[in-house]
mmCIF file of all heavy atoms in Angstrom:
data_model
loop_
_atom_site.group_PDB
_atom_site.id
_atom_site.type_symbol
_atom_site.label_atom_id
_atom_site.label_comp_id
_atom_site.label_asym_id
_atom_site.label_seq_id
_atom_site.Cartn_x
_atom_site.Cartn_y
_atom_site.Cartn_z
ATOM 1 N N LEU A 68 128.669 13.131 -64.274
ATOM 2 C CA LEU A 68 127.531 12.435 -63.682
ATOM 3 C C LEU A 68 126.858 13.293 -62.603
ATOM 4 O O LEU A 68 126.164 12.775 -61.739
ATOM 5 C CB LEU A 68 127.984 11.103 -63.077
ATOM 6 C CG LEU A 68 128.297 9.988 -64.066
ATOM 7 C CD1 LEU A 68 129.065 8.861 -63.393
ATOM 8 C CD2 LEU A 68 127.028 9.471 -64.700
ATOM 9 N N SER A 69 127.054 14.590 -62.668
ATOM 10 C CA SER A 69 126.495 15.497 -61.659
ATOM 11 C C SER A 69 124.972 15.460 -61.653
ATOM 12 O O SER A 69 124.330 15.171 -62.662
ATOM 13 C CB SER A 69 126.944 16.939 -61.939
ATOM 14 O OG SER A 69 128.332 17.038 -61.863
ATOM 15 N N GLU A 70 124.418 15.761 -60.506
ATOM 16 C CA GLU A 70 122.983 15.902 -60.289
ATOM 17 C C GLU A 70 122.181 14.651 -60.652
ATOM 18 O O GLU A 70 121.104 14.720 -61.204
ATOM 19 C CB GLU A 70 122.443 17.121 -61.040
ATOM 20 C CG GLU A 70 123.050 18.416 -60.543
ATOM 21 C CD GLU A 70 122.502 19.625 -61.246
ATOM 22 O OE1 GLU A 70 121.258 19.738 -61.361
ATOM 23 O OE2 GLU A 70 123.312 20.462 -61.677
ATOM 24 N N ASN A 71 122.746 13.491 -60.353
ATOM 25 C CA ASN A 71 122.021 12.238 -60.458
ATOM 26 C C ASN A 71 121.701 11.773 -59.044
ATOM 27 O O ASN A 71 121.845 12.534 -58.094
ATOM 28 C CB ASN A 71 122.868 11.209 -61.214
ATOM 29 C CG ASN A 71 122.813 11.445 -62.700
ATOM 30 O OD1 ASN A 71 121.819 11.178 -63.344
ATOM 31 N ND2 ASN A 71 123.902 11.976 -63.249
ATOM 32 N N VAL A 72 121.245 10.574 -58.877
ATOM 33 C CA VAL A 72 120.877 10.058 -57.558
ATOM 34 C C VAL A 72 121.878 8.971 -57.197
ATOM 35 O O VAL A 72 121.564 7.784 -57.213
ATOM 36 C CB VAL A 72 119.432 9.520 -57.554
ATOM 37 C CG1 VAL A 72 119.003 9.154 -56.131
ATOM 38 C CG2 VAL A 72 118.479 10.555 -58.130
ATOM 39 N N LEU A 73 123.110 9.382 -56.912
ATOM 40 C CA LEU A 73 124.180 8.440 -56.617
ATOM 41 C C LEU A 73 124.507 8.469 -55.137
ATOM 42 O O LEU A 73 124.429 9.511 -54.506
ATOM 43 C CB LEU A 73 125.434 8.795 -57.423
ATOM 44 C CG LEU A 73 125.237 8.964 -58.923
ATOM 45 C CD1 LEU A 73 126.554 9.342 -59.578
ATOM 46 C CD2 LEU A 73 124.653 7.723 -59.538
ATOM 47 N N THR A 74 124.883 7.329 -54.613
ATOM 48 C CA THR A 74 125.272 7.239 -53.216
ATOM 49 C C THR A 74 126.739 6.829 -53.147
ATOM 50 O O THR A 74 127.390 6.625 -54.175
ATOM 51 C CB THR A 74 124.410 6.199 -52.465
ATOM 52 O OG1 THR A 74 124.722 4.898 -52.948
ATOM 53 C CG2 THR A 74 122.925 6.501 -52.618
ATOM 54 N N GLU A 75 127.220 6.654 -51.949
ATOM 55 C CA GLU A 75 128.616 6.256 -51.770
ATOM 56 C C GLU A 75 128.894 4.869 -52.357
ATOM 57 O O GLU A 75 130.018 4.552 -52.700
ATOM 58 C CB GLU A 75 128.976 6.283 -50.288
ATOM 59 C CG GLU A 75 129.001 7.689 -49.728
ATOM 60 C CD GLU A 75 129.301 7.726 -48.248
ATOM 61 O OE1 GLU A 75 129.709 6.691 -47.694
ATOM 62 O OE2 GLU A 75 129.110 8.784 -47.651
ATOM 63 N N ARG A 76 127.849 4.055 -52.497
ATOM 64 C CA ARG A 76 128.038 2.715 -53.063
ATOM 65 C C ARG A 76 128.606 2.747 -54.480
ATOM 66 O O ARG A 76 129.361 1.880 -54.878
ATOM 67 C CB ARG A 76 126.736 1.935 -53.054
ATOM 68 C CG ARG A 76 126.413 1.367 -51.683
ATOM 69 C CD ARG A 76 125.142 0.591 -51.743
ATOM 70 N NE ARG A 76 124.063 1.583 -51.706
ATOM 71 C CZ ARG A 76 122.805 1.326 -51.942
ATOM 72 N NH1 ARG A 76 122.424 0.121 -52.263
ATOM 73 N NH2 ARG A 76 121.905 2.271 -51.872
ATOM 74 N N CYS A 77 128.239 3.745 -55.260
ATOM 75 C CA CYS A 77 128.749 3.798 -56.634
ATOM 76 C C CYS A 77 130.207 4.253 -56.656
ATOM 77 O O CYS A 77 130.880 4.111 -57.676
ATOM 78 C CB CYS A 77 127.900 4.698 -57.517
ATOM 79 S SG CYS A 77 128.210 6.453 -57.299
ATOM 80 N N GLY A 78 130.711 4.741 -55.541
ATOM 81 C CA GLY A 78 132.106 5.171 -55.476
ATOM 82 C C GLY A 78 133.078 4.063 -55.827
ATOM 83 O O GLY A 78 134.095 4.304 -56.483
ATOM 84 N N GLN A 79 132.775 2.835 -55.442
ATOM 85 C CA GLN A 79 133.648 1.707 -55.766
ATOM 86 C C GLN A 79 133.696 1.464 -57.271
ATOM 87 O O GLN A 79 134.758 1.186 -57.827
ATOM 88 C CB GLN A 79 133.191 0.440 -55.038
ATOM 89 C CG GLN A 79 133.397 0.496 -53.547
ATOM 90 C CD GLN A 79 134.870 0.644 -53.175
ATOM 91 O OE1 GLN A 79 135.745 0.036 -53.773
ATOM 92 N NE2 GLN A 79 135.148 1.493 -52.208
ATOM 93 N N ASP A 80 132.543 1.582 -57.930
ATOM 94 C CA ASP A 80 132.514 1.415 -59.387
ATOM 95 C C ASP A 80 133.327 2.508 -60.068
ATOM 96 O O ASP A 80 134.086 2.246 -60.997
ATOM 97 C CB ASP A 80 131.077 1.444 -59.908
ATOM 98 C CG ASP A 80 130.281 0.233 -59.476
ATOM 99 O OD1 ASP A 80 130.852 -0.883 -59.474
ATOM 100 O OD2 ASP A 80 129.102 0.396 -59.142
ATOM 101 N N LEU A 81 133.172 3.736 -59.600
ATOM 102 C CA LEU A 81 133.900 4.857 -60.199
ATOM 103 C C LEU A 81 135.395 4.746 -59.946
ATOM 104 O O LEU A 81 136.204 4.990 -60.844
ATOM 105 C CB LEU A 81 133.365 6.184 -59.657
ATOM 106 C CG LEU A 81 131.910 6.505 -59.999
ATOM 107 C CD1 LEU A 81 131.487 7.794 -59.329
ATOM 108 C CD2 LEU A 81 131.703 6.568 -61.499
ATOM 109 N N LEU A 82 135.769 4.355 -58.734
ATOM 110 C CA LEU A 82 137.180 4.193 -58.418
ATOM 111 C C LEU A 82 137.803 3.082 -59.258
ATOM 112 O O LEU A 82 138.884 3.249 -59.830
ATOM 113 C CB LEU A 82 137.365 3.894 -56.933
ATOM 114 C CG LEU A 82 138.805 3.717 -56.453
ATOM 115 C CD1 LEU A 82 139.628 4.966 -56.737
ATOM 116 C CD2 LEU A 82 138.821 3.379 -54.977
ATOM 117 N N GLY A 83 137.109 1.955 -59.379
ATOM 118 C CA GLY A 83 137.611 0.858 -60.203
ATOM 119 C C GLY A 83 137.758 1.269 -61.659
ATOM 120 O O GLY A 83 138.740 0.928 -62.321
ATOM 121 N N LEU A 84 136.800 2.034 -62.133
ATOM 122 C CA LEU A 84 136.863 2.518 -63.507
ATOM 123 C C LEU A 84 138.064 3.434 -63.713
ATOM 124 O O LEU A 84 138.788 3.314 -64.696
ATOM 125 C CB LEU A 84 135.565 3.242 -63.855
ATOM 126 C CG LEU A 84 135.426 3.759 -65.274
ATOM 127 C CD1 LEU A 84 135.511 2.618 -66.272
ATOM 128 C CD2 LEU A 84 134.112 4.503 -65.422
ATOM 129 N N MET A 85 138.294 4.328 -62.767
ATOM 130 C CA MET A 85 139.433 5.243 -62.866
ATOM 131 C C MET A 85 140.749 4.475 -62.861
ATOM 132 O O MET A 85 141.673 4.806 -63.591
ATOM 133 C CB MET A 85 139.436 6.250 -61.715
ATOM 134 C CG MET A 85 138.295 7.224 -61.713
ATOM 135 S SD MET A 85 138.506 8.606 -62.804
ATOM 136 C CE MET A 85 139.898 9.447 -62.132
ATOM 137 N N GLN A 86 140.844 3.444 -62.038
ATOM 138 C CA GLN A 86 142.085 2.676 -61.930
ATOM 139 C C GLN A 86 142.352 1.841 -63.181
ATOM 140 O O GLN A 86 143.493 1.648 -63.568
ATOM 141 C CB GLN A 86 142.036 1.764 -60.699
ATOM 142 C CG GLN A 86 142.091 2.535 -59.407
ATOM 143 C CD GLN A 86 141.834 1.657 -58.191
ATOM 144 O OE1 GLN A 86 141.201 0.603 -58.280
ATOM 145 N NE2 GLN A 86 142.319 2.089 -57.046
ATOM 146 N N LYS A 87 141.294 1.349 -63.826
ATOM 147 C CA LYS A 87 141.455 0.463 -64.971
ATOM 148 C C LYS A 87 141.416 1.185 -66.320
ATOM 149 O O LYS A 87 141.679 0.572 -67.347
ATOM 150 C CB LYS A 87 140.363 -0.602 -64.954
ATOM 151 C CG LYS A 87 140.467 -1.531 -63.767
ATOM 152 C CD LYS A 87 139.293 -2.474 -63.721
ATOM 153 C CE LYS A 87 139.340 -3.334 -62.470
ATOM 154 N NZ LYS A 87 138.122 -4.134 -62.314
ATOM 155 N N THR A 88 141.066 2.458 -66.309
ATOM 156 C CA THR A 88 140.916 3.214 -67.549
ATOM 157 C C THR A 88 141.740 4.499 -67.460
ATOM 158 O O THR A 88 141.233 5.541 -67.076
ATOM 159 C CB THR A 88 139.425 3.548 -67.793
ATOM 160 O OG1 THR A 88 138.653 2.376 -67.570
ATOM 161 C CG2 THR A 88 139.189 4.031 -69.200
ATOM 162 N N PRO A 89 143.013 4.430 -67.799
ATOM 163 C CA PRO A 89 143.899 5.581 -67.625
ATOM 164 C C PRO A 89 143.548 6.797 -68.475
ATOM 165 O O PRO A 89 143.977 7.906 -68.169
ATOM 166 C CB PRO A 89 145.284 5.046 -67.995
ATOM 167 C CG PRO A 89 145.031 3.821 -68.784
ATOM 168 C CD PRO A 89 143.710 3.280 -68.355
ATOM 169 N N CYS A 90 142.739 6.623 -69.521
ATOM 170 C CA CYS A 90 142.390 7.772 -70.353
ATOM 171 C C CYS A 90 141.424 8.718 -69.637
ATOM 172 O O CYS A 90 141.336 9.893 -69.984
ATOM 173 C CB CYS A 90 141.801 7.311 -71.683
ATOM 174 S SG CYS A 90 140.265 6.409 -71.517
ATOM 175 N N ILE A 91 140.690 8.243 -68.626
ATOM 176 C CA ILE A 91 139.762 9.110 -67.900
ATOM 177 C C ILE A 91 140.560 10.071 -67.024
ATOM 178 O O ILE A 91 141.316 9.656 -66.168
ATOM 179 C CB ILE A 91 138.775 8.302 -67.035
ATOM 180 C CG1 ILE A 91 137.893 7.446 -67.927
ATOM 181 C CG2 ILE A 91 137.922 9.244 -66.186
ATOM 182 C CD1 ILE A 91 136.956 6.533 -67.173
ATOM 183 N N ARG A 92 140.373 11.347 -67.299
ATOM 184 C CA ARG A 92 141.079 12.376 -66.539
ATOM 185 C C ARG A 92 140.168 13.155 -65.603
ATOM 186 O O ARG A 92 140.632 13.759 -64.661
ATOM 187 C CB ARG A 92 141.790 13.323 -67.496
ATOM 188 C CG ARG A 92 142.977 12.678 -68.179
ATOM 189 C CD ARG A 92 143.702 13.675 -69.015
ATOM 190 N NE ARG A 92 142.836 14.062 -70.123
ATOM 191 C CZ ARG A 92 143.125 13.916 -71.398
ATOM 192 N NH1 ARG A 92 144.283 13.437 -71.743
ATOM 193 N NH2 ARG A 92 142.279 14.261 -72.335
ATOM 194 N N CYS A 93 138.873 13.152 -65.883
ATOM 195 C CA CYS A 93 137.973 13.957 -65.067
ATOM 196 C C CYS A 93 136.601 13.298 -64.941
ATOM 197 O O CYS A 93 135.986 12.937 -65.935
ATOM 198 C CB CYS A 93 137.829 15.347 -65.700
ATOM 199 S SG CYS A 93 136.817 16.473 -64.734
ATOM 200 N N PHE A 94 136.151 13.158 -63.710
ATOM 201 C CA PHE A 94 134.788 12.746 -63.374
ATOM 202 C C PHE A 94 134.157 13.905 -62.630
ATOM 203 O O PHE A 94 134.735 14.424 -61.688
ATOM 204 C CB PHE A 94 134.805 11.571 -62.389
ATOM 205 C CG PHE A 94 134.522 10.251 -62.984
ATOM 206 C CD1 PHE A 94 135.477 9.264 -62.932
ATOM 207 C CD2 PHE A 94 133.302 9.965 -63.564
ATOM 208 C CE1 PHE A 94 135.232 8.012 -63.451
ATOM 209 C CE2 PHE A 94 133.047 8.723 -64.083
ATOM 210 C CZ PHE A 94 134.015 7.751 -64.034
ATOM 211 N N ARG A 95 132.981 14.293 -63.020
ATOM 212 C CA ARG A 95 132.237 15.285 -62.236
ATOM 213 C C ARG A 95 131.038 14.573 -61.632
ATOM 214 O O ARG A 95 130.239 13.977 -62.354
ATOM 215 C CB ARG A 95 131.809 16.446 -63.124
ATOM 216 C CG ARG A 95 132.933 17.443 -63.338
ATOM 217 C CD ARG A 95 132.475 18.661 -64.103
ATOM 218 N NE ARG A 95 132.362 18.457 -65.537
ATOM 219 C CZ ARG A 95 133.373 18.182 -66.358
ATOM 220 N NH1 ARG A 95 134.574 18.053 -65.883
ATOM 221 N NH2 ARG A 95 133.173 18.037 -67.645
ATOM 222 N N ILE A 96 130.935 14.629 -60.322
ATOM 223 C CA ILE A 96 129.839 13.958 -59.614
ATOM 224 C C ILE A 96 129.207 14.884 -58.579
ATOM 225 O O ILE A 96 128.641 14.442 -57.598
ATOM 226 C CB ILE A 96 130.313 12.651 -58.933
ATOM 227 C CG1 ILE A 96 131.483 12.919 -58.005
ATOM 228 C CG2 ILE A 96 130.657 11.604 -59.970
ATOM 229 C CD1 ILE A 96 131.860 11.732 -57.146
ATOM 230 N N SER A 97 129.267 16.177 -58.802
ATOM 231 C CA SER A 97 128.785 17.124 -57.803
ATOM 232 C C SER A 97 127.262 17.112 -57.683
ATOM 233 O O SER A 97 126.540 16.740 -58.603
ATOM 234 C CB SER A 97 129.261 18.534 -58.140
ATOM 235 O OG SER A 97 128.719 18.952 -59.365
ATOM 236 N N TYR A 98 126.810 17.523 -56.533
ATOM 237 C CA TYR A 98 125.406 17.655 -56.176
ATOM 238 C C TYR A 98 124.568 16.449 -56.559
ATOM 239 O O TYR A 98 123.875 16.432 -57.564
ATOM 240 C CB TYR A 98 124.775 18.928 -56.766
ATOM 241 C CG TYR A 98 123.341 19.108 -56.296
ATOM 242 C CD1 TYR A 98 123.081 19.420 -54.976
ATOM 243 C CD2 TYR A 98 122.293 18.899 -57.151
ATOM 244 C CE1 TYR A 98 121.782 19.543 -54.517
ATOM 245 C CE2 TYR A 98 120.978 19.016 -56.718
ATOM 246 C CZ TYR A 98 120.739 19.338 -55.397
ATOM 247 O OH TYR A 98 119.456 19.449 -54.950
ATOM 248 N N GLN A 99 124.612 15.454 -55.741
ATOM 249 C CA GLN A 99 123.780 14.269 -55.929
ATOM 250 C C GLN A 99 122.490 14.469 -55.154
ATOM 251 O O GLN A 99 122.499 14.632 -53.946
ATOM 252 C CB GLN A 99 124.521 13.008 -55.467
ATOM 253 C CG GLN A 99 125.772 12.731 -56.253
ATOM 254 C CD GLN A 99 125.509 12.612 -57.743
ATOM 255 O OE1 GLN A 99 124.576 11.953 -58.164
ATOM 256 N NE2 GLN A 99 126.319 13.270 -58.540
ATOM 257 N N ARG A 100 121.377 14.491 -55.856
ATOM 258 C CA ARG A 100 120.072 14.751 -55.237
ATOM 259 C C ARG A 100 119.811 13.818 -54.068
ATOM 260 O O ARG A 100 120.002 12.610 -54.174
ATOM 261 C CB ARG A 100 118.955 14.595 -56.260
ATOM 262 C CG ARG A 100 118.984 15.713 -57.268
ATOM 263 C CD ARG A 100 117.893 15.526 -58.249
ATOM 264 N NE ARG A 100 118.283 14.418 -59.130
ATOM 265 C CZ ARG A 100 117.571 14.023 -60.156
ATOM 266 N NH1 ARG A 100 116.433 14.587 -60.426
ATOM 267 N NH2 ARG A 100 117.986 13.031 -60.908
ATOM 268 N N GLY A 101 119.397 14.400 -52.972
ATOM 269 C CA GLY A 101 119.079 13.618 -51.793
ATOM 270 C C GLY A 101 120.296 13.249 -50.962
ATOM 271 O O GLY A 101 120.177 12.588 -49.949
ATOM 272 N N GLN A 102 121.462 13.668 -51.350
ATOM 273 C CA GLN A 102 122.688 13.348 -50.629
ATOM 274 C C GLN A 102 123.306 14.642 -50.113
ATOM 275 O O GLN A 102 123.426 15.602 -50.839
ATOM 276 C CB GLN A 102 123.701 12.649 -51.544
ATOM 277 C CG GLN A 102 123.155 11.420 -52.222
ATOM 278 C CD GLN A 102 122.726 10.368 -51.232
ATOM 279 O OE1 GLN A 102 123.441 10.049 -50.292
ATOM 280 N NE2 GLN A 102 121.526 9.842 -51.410
ATOM 281 N N SER A 103 123.711 14.643 -48.871
ATOM 282 C CA SER A 103 124.289 15.854 -48.310
ATOM 283 C C SER A 103 125.803 15.902 -48.418
ATOM 284 O O SER A 103 126.392 16.961 -48.371
ATOM 285 C CB SER A 103 123.888 15.995 -46.838
ATOM 286 O OG SER A 103 124.340 14.870 -46.113
ATOM 287 N N ASN A 104 126.473 14.761 -48.574
ATOM 288 C CA ASN A 104 127.934 14.750 -48.566
ATOM 289 C C ASN A 104 128.577 14.419 -49.907
ATOM 290 O O ASN A 104 129.762 14.226 -49.988
ATOM 291 C CB ASN A 104 128.443 13.728 -47.539
ATOM 292 C CG ASN A 104 128.326 14.265 -46.139
ATOM 293 O OD1 ASN A 104 128.252 15.465 -45.949
ATOM 294 N ND2 ASN A 104 128.291 13.386 -45.165
ATOM 295 N N CYS A 105 127.825 14.333 -50.953
ATOM 296 C CA CYS A 105 128.400 13.973 -52.248
ATOM 297 C C CYS A 105 128.475 15.206 -53.122
ATOM 298 O O CYS A 105 127.645 15.413 -53.987
ATOM 299 C CB CYS A 105 127.569 12.886 -52.905
ATOM 300 S SG CYS A 105 128.401 12.126 -54.290
ATOM 301 N N SER A 106 129.447 16.054 -52.891
ATOM 302 C CA SER A 106 129.500 17.317 -53.642
ATOM 303 C C SER A 106 130.898 17.572 -54.201
ATOM 304 O O SER A 106 131.305 18.698 -54.351
ATOM 305 C CB SER A 106 129.094 18.465 -52.734
ATOM 306 O OG SER A 106 129.997 18.565 -51.650
#
Side-chain angles (χ1 to χ4, degrees):
L68 286 165
S69 298
E70 297 182 49
N71 281 287
V72 187
L73 308 179
T74 68
E75 292 178 12
R76 281 181 281 169
C77 78
Q79 291 298 320
D80 292 320
L81 296 176
L82 181 59
L84 183 60
M85 294 279 296
Q86 291 171 336
K87 295 174 184 173
T88 314
C90 63
I91 296 176
R92 289 185 293 239
C93 183
F94 257 118
R95 279 186 281 296
I96 55 171
S97 63
Y98 184 69
Q99 298 303 314
R100 290 180 286 183
Q102 305 299 313
S103 59
N104 283 339
C105 193
S106 62

